[in-house]
């Protein structure tokens, strides 16, 4: 029986028994070692931190000597890194000192299964933090792994200018790696000749794959050399912090395995190439090259092959046995009960306006008189988020029963890819009819054009939770909604 609550905003729902899964997951197994047992959460100490969002003229190495009016959360090296041990609370005082009178901000702790009032979505779970105001975030991240945090206000510009950082929750290794390195990947929408930013939002981009930026970077530098202990097994935490770009990542000239996806452990699988959209993460273990030798991180996405970083073997070579990377501890996420799960179907698509914009790109005269004030280019089940911010809340697409399992069928009816992000919960990928991926947990699932994927989760976190595409120009032009767990 459907309850009335499950039918709120027109999302198609059926209560089904164990559903036929379309397209089983497969992946080449090449290693022998098993995941460690899930960890226990043991509360420990807290060290308070302060993040001050403000404009800081910054000269990242990739800006080639120019200083740009970045907006950042910290002084010193960008991006900021918050590093905790499992069981430690995150305790952050956010101060908004942004340079415009109405520039509110907030912090979303992307991928964390946190209490709803810590989730950082303005209007939905907290008041936007106005200039001159503070907000304290204080929660215990329940999962180890590689996460990141970012503004959830005027995101296309604030993220474009750099309001983001890295969150690492330690304690997941079953044995120490020889190195642990974070690689924060993003582009910059900059005009280096004029030492300023280009516009972060374009109709052309928003109606298509998003506005790609011209300057690539890894940890703020163009194609940097990263020293690794020669011959060692090194953990690389790759985070796509870009508002827009979908990368197709591979490692050349050495062996590489994926050990975690979106921070959540998987049995190690060989990396061939991996599609890493905005907000997605993978943890790799690579065998560092011998002394003085190099390996490369490559992006082979639509714009062609780009070398993103070099790994340089340094010091006396560690004589490690054949590559069989140490796995992490298994996830601590509740297993959904597929037999009793309720199903929701979601279709991700353009709106008619989006269709019109995409097809009239080379004829601005056509776009000129069109009323684009609502900028609804993208939709979920035919609904577009009503505004560019969250000030006017529509009803949730559904109220989910706390503790119950759900299967979402996610169908991409458009000709562009969409990394679909769920707040406060973590999907378990069940099936896909287009992409070959190992079974894994994810908070941001890439859907390629025409793809149908099935994911499942236990709605075990009460509150109002966003569900949106993480290409920010898609999110801000309609591909966003939320659900309630009660
Ligand atoms: Cu990282 Cu609502 O997003
Ligand atoms: Cu999208």
């Amino acid at each position: 029986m459907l309850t009335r609550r499950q039918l709120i905003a027109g999302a198609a729902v059926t209560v089904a028994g164990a559903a036929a899964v379309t397209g089983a997951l497969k992946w080449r197994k090449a290693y022998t070692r098993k995941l460690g047992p899930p960890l226990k959460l043991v509360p420990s100490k807290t060290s308070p931190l302060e993040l001050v969002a403000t404009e800081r003229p910054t000269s990242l190495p990739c800006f080639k000597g120019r200083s740009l009016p970045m907006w950042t959360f910290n002084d010193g090296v960008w991006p900021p890194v918050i590093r905790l041990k499992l069981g430690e609370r995150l305790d952050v005082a956010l101060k908004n000192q942004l340079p415009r009178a109405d520039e509110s901000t907030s912090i979303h702790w992307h991928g964390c299964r946190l209490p709803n009032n810590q989730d950082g979505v303005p209007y939905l779970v907290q008041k936007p933090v106005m200039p001159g105001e503070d907000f304290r975030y204080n929660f215990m991240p329940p999962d180890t792994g590689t996460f990141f945090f970012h503004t959830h206000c005027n995101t296309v510009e604030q993220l474009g200018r750099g309001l983001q950082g890295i969150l690492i929750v330690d304690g997941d290794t079953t044995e120490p790696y020889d190195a642990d390195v974070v690689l924060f990947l993003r582009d910059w929408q900059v005009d280096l000749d004029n030492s300023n930013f280009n516009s972060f939002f374009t109709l052309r981009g928003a109606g298509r794959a998003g506005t790609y930026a011209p300057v690539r970077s890894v940890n703020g530098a163009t194609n940097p050399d990263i020293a690794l202990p020669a011959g060692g097994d090194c953990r690389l935490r790759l985070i796509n912090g870009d508002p827009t770009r979908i990368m197709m990542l591979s490692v050349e000239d050495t062996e590489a395995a994926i050990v975690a996806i979106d921070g959540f452990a998987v049995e190690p699988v060989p990396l061939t190439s991996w599609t890493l959209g905005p907000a997605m993460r993978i943890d790799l273990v690579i065998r560092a090259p011998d002394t003085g030798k190099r390996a490369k991180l490559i992006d082979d996405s639509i714009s062609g092959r780009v070398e993103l970083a070099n790994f340089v073997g340094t010091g006396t070579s560690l004589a490690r046995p054949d590559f069989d990377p140490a796995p992490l501890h298994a996830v601590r996420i509740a297993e959904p009960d597929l037999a009793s799960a309720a199903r929701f179907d979601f279709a991700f698509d353009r709106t008619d306006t989006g269709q019109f914009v995409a097809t009239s790109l080379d004829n601005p005269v056509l776009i000129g008189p069109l009323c684009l004030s609502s900028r609804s280019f993208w939709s979920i089940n035919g609904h577009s988020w009503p505004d560019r911010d969250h000030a006017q809340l529509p009803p949730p697409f559904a109220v989910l029963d706390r503790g119950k399992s759900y299967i979402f069928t996610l169908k991409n009816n458009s000709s562009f890819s969409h990394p679909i992000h769920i707040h406060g919960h973590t999907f378990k990928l069940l099936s896909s009819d287009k992409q070959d991926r190992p079974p894994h947990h994810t908070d941001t699932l890439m859907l390629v054009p025409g793809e149908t994927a099935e994911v499942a989760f236990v709605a075990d976190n009460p509150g109002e939770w966003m569900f949106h595409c993480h290409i920010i120009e898609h999110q801000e032009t309609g591909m966003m909604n939320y659900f309630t767990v009660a």
Side-chain angles (χ1 to χ4, degrees):
M1 283 291 287
L2 301 183
T3 64
R4 199 181 55 80
R5 295 191 314 166
Q6 283 172 317
L7 285 170
I8 282 179
V13 59
T14 49
V15 177
V21 161
T22 53
L25 301 168
K26 48 180 166 23
W27 195 269
R28 188 161 64 93
K29 278 222 192 330
Y31 309 115
T32 63
R33 301 166 69 178
K34 294 270 173 283
L35 294 173
L39 296 159
K40 295 218 163 47
L41 195 64
V42 184
S44 72
K45 64 160 180 63
T46 298
S47 344
L49 294 164
E50 193 176 84
L51 295 178
V52 181
T54 192
E55 181 166 305
R56 295 180 177 88
T58 305
S59 183
L60 294 178
C62 64
F63 296 161
K64 302 193 163 57
R66 310 299 169 112
S67 179
L68 272 288
M70 282 177 65
W71 293 358
T72 59
F73 283 122
N74 69 319
D75 294 317
V77 176
W78 182 96
V81 182
I82 298 177
R83 204 151 187 150
L84 306 172
K85 289 202 183 57
L86 184 68
E88 271 182 84
R89 297 184 74 83
L90 176 145
D91 183 356
V92 165
L94 165 67
K95 295 189 182 339
N96 182 352
Q97 295 178 6
L98 291 172
R100 285 184 205 138
D102 59 348
E103 194 69 41
S104 62
T105 196
S106 68
I107 299 178
H108 171 57
W109 308 93
H110 183 111
C112 292
R113 300 183 300 131
L114 38 58
N116 195 229
N117 63 6
Q118 303 294 301
D119 197 40
V121 179
Y123 303 105
L124 194 66
V125 306
Q126 70 165 92
K127 288 219 219 58
V129 184
M130 298 306 292
E133 292 181 350
D134 299 358
F135 190 88
R136 181 156 173 233
Y137 294 96
N138 189 311
F139 64 94
M140 187 185 295
D143 299 303
T144 52
T146 305
F147 301 94
F148 87 123
F149 58 94
H150 60 83
T151 170
H152 219 285
C153 296
N154 183 18
T155 312
V156 76
E157 174 170 13
Q158 292 190 9
L159 202 61
R161 288 177 180 265
L163 275 177
Q164 56 189 174
I166 295 161
L167 173 62
I168 290 173
V169 183
D170 277 316
D172 55 2
T173 52
T174 54
E175 61 183 63
Y177 297 112
D178 295 313
D180 182 333
V181 177
V182 185
L183 304 179
F184 195 82
L185 317 178
R186 70 158 292 172
D187 310 340
W188 297 95
Q189 194 56 266
V190 292
D191 171 359
L192 291 179
D193 292 336
N194 291 304
S195 297
N196 214 332
F197 288 101
N198 300 318
S199 63
F200 299 101
F201 180 98
T202 66
L203 290 179
R204 165 176 274 274
R208 309 178 99 197
T211 307
Y212 278 42
V215 174
R216 313 287 309 260
S217 73
V218 173
N219 299 341
T222 304
N223 199 16
D225 280 359
I226 294 165
L228 296 176
D233 282 354
C234 301
R235 181 179 193 170
L236 307 178
R237 303 171 185 262
L238 275 50
I239 302 169
N240 182 341
D242 197 66
T244 308
R245 186 186 294 270
I246 295 169
M247 304 179 197
M248 182 103 60
L249 298 174
S250 58
V251 170
E252 279 181 3
D253 302 327
T254 192
E255 292 177 283
I258 302 175
V259 298
I261 297 171
D262 285 354
F264 304 104
V266 291
E267 266 185 25
V269 290
L271 172 72
T272 45
S273 84
W274 189 259
T275 303
L276 199 75
M280 297 166 69
R281 292 91 63 209
I282 44 171
D283 284 40
L284 305 179
V285 173
I286 71 166
R287 176 61 55 89
D290 279 337
T291 313
K293 297 246 161 33
R294 302 163 88 79
K296 289 179 166 58
L297 178 67
I298 303 293
D299 173 19
D300 231 330
S301 54
I302 47 166
S303 342
R305 183 181 186 280
V306 174
E307 296 183 3
L308 292 177
N310 298 290
F311 306 112
V312 187
T314 308
T316 313
S317 195
L318 302 164
R320 297 274 178 252
D322 284 352
F323 189 62
D324 193 4
L328 300 171
H329 282 278
V331 299
R332 317 177 61 252
I333 298 167
E335 186 63 26
D337 175 18
L338 301 184
S340 71
R343 282 184 162 265
F344 282 83
D345 297 334
F346 296 93
F348 300 88
D349 206 351
R350 277 208 177 97
T351 58
D352 291 345
T353 317
Q355 186 64 38
F356 184 80
V357 165
T359 51
S360 25
L361 287 168
D362 300 316
N363 192 345
V365 179
L366 275 177
I367 294 178
L370 188 72
C371 175
L372 289 173
S373 59
S374 67
R375 290 174 156 175
S376 293
F377 297 169
W378 300 96
S379 66
I380 304 177
N381 285 349
H383 296 276
S384 264
W385 190 258
D387 200 77
R388 283 193 72 223
D389 63 27
H390 312 180
Q392 293 156 30
L393 290 178
F397 69 76
V399 179
L400 307 185
D401 293 330
R402 185 174 179 184
K404 192 173 163 58
S405 296
Y406 290 86
I407 298 173
F408 283 7
T409 302
L410 311 176
K411 184 157 173 29
N412 181 357
N413 285 334
S414 78
S415 50
F416 291 94
S417 294
H418 303 287
I420 301 300
H421 173 45
I422 185 170
H423 283 218
H425 296 79
T426 305
F427 289 141
K428 178 179 184 185
L429 179 63
L430 301 179
S431 77
S432 159
D433 65 353
K434 284 261 190 309
Q435 294 190 75
D436 189 14
R437 286 170 290 200
H440 67 272
H441 291 84
T442 173
D443 53 65
T444 310
L445 184 75
M446 177 59 66
L447 289 180
V448 298
E451 179 172 5
T452 300
E454 289 171 306
V455 293
F457 67 103
V458 181
D460 54 5
N461 201 354
E464 329 288 334
W465 302 106
M466 279 275 159
F467 181 55
H468 63 82
C469 178
H470 221 288
I471 292 175
I472 307 299
E473 286 163 294
H474 292 179
Q475 175 192 358
E476 294 199 346
T477 57
M479 199 174 271
M480 171 154 68
N481 210 317
Y482 73 99
F483 61 95
T484 299
V485 176

